[in-house]
Amino acid sequence: MDKKKKNEKLEILRHSASHLLAHALMELYPNTILTLGPATKNGFFYDFLPENNLGESDLEKIAAKMLEIANRDLEITQQEITKKEALELYKDNPFKIELIEGIKDKTVGLSRQGDFYDLCKGGHVKSTGALKHFKLTNLSGAYWRADKKNQALQRINGVAFATAKELRLHENRVEEAKKYDHRRIGKQLDLFSFHEEGAGFPFFHPNGKKVLNILTSFLRKKLEKNGYQEIQTPIMLSDELWKRSGHYDHYKENMYFSTIDDKSYAIKPMNCPGSILTYKTRPHSFRELPLKFSEFGLVHRHELSGVLHGLFRVRAFTQDDAHIYCTPEQIEQEILNLVKNVETILSRFDFADVKLTLSTRPDDAMGDVKLWDKAEQALENALKKTNLPYCINEGDGAFYGPKIDFIIQDSMDREWQCSTIQLDFFQPENFDLTYVASGGEKKRPVMIHRVLYGSLERFFGILIEHYKGKFPFWLAPTQIKVLTITDNQNDYATKVGQILQEHGLRVIVDQSSEQISAKIKTAQLQQIPWMLILGAKEQENNTITLRPREGKQEFGLTVEQLLKKANLLLQDS
Ligand SMILES: [Zn+2]
Ligand SMILES: [Zn+2]
């Protein structure tokens, strides 16, 4: 079964599980007023108004009741009833009445299992017997229609899978993810912190900043090779610019504002307008195209405090942004270059899988339909040439152009979307961007926005969890720790450390008076890829014992042999 079909089946199962939860609630607490219960990413929830508030401790009883109903193996049937009948059925439930009144058709759907019924347009498993592999995860508060002004409700969340094995695998993954939460590892490895004085604004410590710098320089080298020119544009720009770019109208709620000389300014939530102003400073010949401006741009976006989540959801982050100005004819080649570029860079990070999705013209698209068709064709042609798996999300593109997203799969089988390539027909028009064509006439370029890591901060967070804190040699903030067995080796250790440092390696020499076993323990906790153990024998023979984080200890290495080994690991970084 392909993944899409499997996901559809799972969604049906999870949605059915929400009815099962509602059914159990009604049997246990007949005065509960039900509202809605959809499927979610890994499971389902149901929102309800309880007679008496439920607590976490009630979940066990509810789950047991659900299992009991599942074991009854009740057939789930679907019927259409008139709105009048539905209103009669739900005469004591103001939420369902509101839902029924909101339905445009003359009839409404009703699903039944045993003597339980629920308002629903259908799409269920055949019987409750298929719903045995679930778990209730937590109880939380909710509001009717997610609006704080409305009635406060309770919500029970759960996960559901088709088999016991899948449920167990999911639970293992959740446990693993908790164990390797980047916020926890960030503290352990002294990478970053958050402070009350700036909620959502990360502080990077020397170790964390080191990794960010490596990520940046790795990318910068690749960009230079691929003809990008790096620019830097201001963090604050006047309101007028954001009004013209459309951000003010569409994104104002997420922007921060300030005033300079009585004039209103906004802190940039995106880098595009800065790139556009740079492009417009002089005329461009067709010979210059494609013109590629890259920028590591710090953007600020307001997020509600409740959704802030370590480095995954912050209020300030650095986008590894680029804007490519090209002719419509160059789209295909540029997209192909970009996809290859992204793939090469992502391949350095040991992700299990990289997939692509192409999102095409939505209903509210702006611009010439012919240009859209041509561009979508060019994008698809480019994707075919890459030989990477991709799927098409019909109608899911932005109103100003189609886009390609990259989905990566980490070491814990979780999917992340980081890189995006977005075509834009709107801003070139909006900002009257032109280039001089071969005949001397002015023409409109196409703009391609692309991010690779996406947000450097978020990508760092993903890498921390993906590697479980064990950064590969090329990324580790400290690559090598030199450990002496006694104080007699201190001079030798300093010398070895110096040579390695001169060769660009990140080295710490541990000359503390701790026992060697304690020194090793510390280095292990710091997840240092290489420990060099130096004792009397090593000093005498001018050699090194290498104790790598993974794998076997190696004795009698010379410094040259060690450097050679290190260089192998550092190739292409
Ligand atoms: Zn349903
Ligand atoms: Zn952009």
Side-chain angles (χ1 to χ4, degrees), residues 12 15-16 18-19 37 76 78 111 118-124:
I12 286 172
H15 166 77
S16 307
S18 82
H19 288 302
I76 303 176
Q78 184 68 21
S111 85
D118 204 350
L119 193 67
C120 184
K121 62 178 187 292
H124 302 121

